[in-house]
Amino acid sequence: MDTVKYVLSEDQLPSSWYNIAADLPSPPPPALHPGTGQPLGPADLAPLFPMALIMQEVSTERAIEIPEEVQAVYRQWRPTPLFRARRLEKALGTPAKIYYKYEGISPSGSHKPNTAVPQAYYNKQEGVKRLVTETGAGQWGSALAMAGAFFGLEVLVYMVKVSFNQKPYRRALMETFGARVVASPSEETHSGRMILAEHPDSNGSLGIAISEAVEVAAQDPDSKYALGSVLNHVLLHQTVIGQEALMQLEMAGDYPDIIIGCTGGGSNFSGIAFPFIGAKLRGGRDVRVIAVEPASCPSLTRGKYAYDYGDTAKMAPMVKMHTLGHTFVPEGIHAGGLRYHGMAPMVSHLAELGLFEARAETQLGCFAAGVQFARAEGIVPAPEANHAVKATIDEALRCKEAGESKVILFNLCGHGNFDMQAYLDYAAGKLRDHAYSQEEVAMALAGLPSVS
Ligand SMILES: Cc1ncc(COP(=O)(O)O)c(C=O)c1O
């Protein structure tokens, strides 16, 4: 019998998160205070995050225990299945073996609840009443809205305006879970009003929405801020994905030659890849790892590795990362979750250490790959996930040309069931590819802060 799904039982759910900081040859450069430019201490972050998450942010322990209450919620959908894409392999006529970890099985449709749930849990533990956040595609906002409902927390979401207009059902989902959703930039915050004064028709960006959320959280003692990617603790929470995949591939009797993930802020990529990269750093098998980003927001492939602000209004810490500049506003592509000007500092550090390679793909090629995948496997990927699908198909076709039977693992980080307008636009020929000229990239980078 040709097995299609490798399924773990609930008692095989990982009981700890994997912290790659324990296995790196050098730590990433420290985050700096946006006002003083000095390295940040835990106290600087306390107005925004609960102490348990701040301690995870700076931890170098290899294994961090997942609280039982969080494991209980994870069991609503975890462990997630690992699929062998036998139908896609056949459609491509490739000798490659393609596996995908399917995170779209979560109730809100992506990997984002893996961190939304522990973030809500630790905030509740420390007496927080309300979480304030931003969302691009709406996947993160939906995940946090659900986690807030589970733990009895109010949730306020600043949703990037272009997605707010493109994805009314994502907003409806967040509201169904009890969250309040505001289109960003908004008139509700100083940062929003500043942007609107200069650009009344602004489509918004993750950098702007982060500024609004941070501003509101910092001013309210009962509120804290929650971020859906970029930070170390977020990447940490996502490592349940890769840890499960390691066990499932063992069941299948395989080990990946290539691991592929799409990158916005870097969290689903880290989730699938870090446990394998960690195994390699500890003397285990080598693996080629590929991060795939959109050509219209190419932080890893065309950005600069430099200190920059995490948000547009310069309220978030300065971190060393691959960045296109905090004022960069990407095109309104449908992969809204990938429209972030920077990259997680930890992912950027790994890129500098040469632990993975990156490539950029345009949206038409990604949608074509997503449609091909849907017709073979029956799952419509989220537009973000299509970037990983595109690279997977390209690698599988390369195997076909070379007659090689490589094992490819990719993270299908979310379904696209709320993204059908994007697929309609693609089918109607309304989507355009866009790449930045060298001048445009240089202009956006001109505003980087100078850090000695
Ligand atoms: C389905 C999906 N994939 C990927 C991303 C990008 O985020 P990250 O790089 O942190 O995984 C998002 C962000 O919203 C998303 O919704």
Side-chain angles (χ1 to χ4, degrees):
M1 193 182 72
D2 286 340
T3 305
V4 172
K5 287 191 304 306
Y6 295 89
V7 182
L8 299 170
S9 60
E10 286 186 16
D11 60 9
Q12 289 174 293
L13 179 76
S15 57
S16 58
W17 292 297
Y18 165 65
N19 183 5
I20 198 163
D23 290 320
L24 289 178
S26 61
L32 306 178
H33 192 285
T36 64
Q38 293 303 307
L40 277 182
D44 295 312
L45 293 170
L48 294 182
F49 302 105
M51 205 38 82
L53 291 176
I54 295 171
M55 295 328 283
Q56 289 181 0
E57 193 61 24
V58 295
S59 170
T60 51
E61 292 287 308
R62 182 173 291 121
I64 297 180
E65 202 180 314
I66 306 175
E68 184 44 52
E69 294 88 334
V70 172
Q71 290 190 41
V73 179
Y74 274 176
R75 285 197 288 272
Q76 292 288 125
W77 72 95
R78 301 210 74 85
T80 59
L82 178 80
F83 281 83
R84 170 87 185 266
R86 293 189 186 273
R87 298 177 53 83
L88 179 65
E89 289 169 15
K90 203 164 162 204
L92 296 172
T94 177
K97 293 177 171 180
I98 303 174
Y99 291 91
Y100 59 95
K101 186 76 169 143
Y102 186 38
E103 290 296 306
I105 211 102
S106 83
S108 61
S110 77
H111 63 297
K112 296 286 178 183
N114 296 333
T115 184
V117 169
Q119 289 195 44
Y121 166 78
Y122 290 119
N123 274 286
K124 182 72 180 181
Q125 289 281 96
E126 295 187 25
V128 174
K129 302 269 183 299
R130 182 174 72 157
L131 290 175
V132 191
T133 197
E134 72 294 322
T135 195
Q139 288 270 21
W140 164 242
S142 311
L144 196 71
M146 180 186 82
F150 287 168
F151 289 101
L153 290 162
E154 282 176 50
V155 175
L156 169 59
V157 184
Y158 288 92
M159 185 172 189
V160 176
K161 197 175 278 168
V162 63
S163 294
F164 187 91
N165 294 330
Q166 281 169 345
K167 298 177 187 184
Y169 297 132
R170 271 283 161 202
R171 172 162 60 96
L173 182 62
M174 288 183 258
E175 289 172 352
T176 304
F177 285 133
R180 189 164 86 82
V181 186
V182 178
S184 166
S186 78
E187 292 286 351
E188 291 191 358
T189 65
H190 176 68
S191 328
R193 288 190 293 273
M194 289 241 299
I195 298 285
L196 288 173
E198 213 179 315
H199 307 284
D201 297 326
S202 171
N203 261 339
S205 71
L206 277 168
I208 297 169
I210 292 173
S211 296
E212 294 205 86
V214 167
E215 180 184 325
V216 171
Q219 286 171 0
D220 176 6
D222 286 333
S223 293
K224 296 255 187 251
Y225 170 64
L227 186 60
S229 188
V230 177
L231 297 173
N232 293 341
H233 66 264
V234 180
L235 312 191
L236 173 83
H237 299 155
Q238 294 295 351
T239 59
V240 284
I241 303 172
Q243 292 185 73
E244 288 177 7
L246 267 164
M247 285 188 267
Q248 288 162 310
L249 281 165
E250 202 176 318
M251 285 165 78
D254 270 324
Y255 197 85
D257 297 301
I258 304 174
I259 298 177
I260 297 171
C262 69
T263 43
S267 75
N268 87 86
F269 168 78
S270 304
I272 190 105
F274 280 8
F276 290 90
I277 295 176
K280 169 173 144 179
L281 288 168
R282 295 192 303 277
R285 280 177 67 166
D286 196 10
V287 58
R288 189 175 153 219
V289 179
I290 306 173
V292 195
E293 62 183 10
S296 33
C297 196
S299 55
L300 276 170
T301 51
R302 298 188 64 195
K304 192 168 169 187
Y305 184 52
Y307 270 102
D308 195 10
Y309 300 98
D311 70 324
T312 308
K314 307 183 196 176
M315 280 185 298
M318 281 191 282
V319 289
K320 195 155 186 192
M321 61 180 174
H322 289 88
T323 179
L324 295 160
H326 58 277
T327 55
F328 181 80
V329 178
E331 283 293 291
I333 56 165
H334 276 285
L338 306 186
R339 292 176 73 242
Y340 183 59
H341 66 272
M343 181 49 59
M346 186 63 90
V347 172
S348 295
H349 183 56
L350 262 68
E352 291 299 301
L353 292 172
L355 291 170
F356 70 90
E357 59 195 84
R359 66 176 71 159
E361 296 291 348
T362 54
Q363 71 172 345
L364 288 178
C366 291
F367 272 100
V371 167
Q372 191 173 13
F373 182 86
R375 289 180 186 174
E377 295 288 316
I379 299 170
V380 179
E384 292 82 4
N386 280 343
H387 291 72
V389 175
K390 168 80 169 87
T392 298
I393 291 178
D394 287 348
E395 289 301 320
L397 291 176
R398 216 159 278 155
C399 285
K400 182 176 173 177
E401 264 170 41
E404 286 176 331
S405 174
K406 291 205 168 137
V407 176
I408 304 173
L409 166 67
F410 82 94
N411 196 22
L412 185 56
C413 54
H415 68 63
N417 296 358
F418 288 98
D419 300 283
M420 296 320 294
Q421 188 60 48
Y423 282 88
L424 281 176
D425 289 351
Y426 170 67
K430 288 188 189 162
L431 300 188
R432 295 279 168 270
D433 276 343
H434 181 272
Y436 288 99
S437 67
Q438 209 48 47
E439 291 72 39
E440 283 173 298
V441 172
M443 235 168 68
L445 286 173
L448 287 183
S450 65
V451 171
S452 52

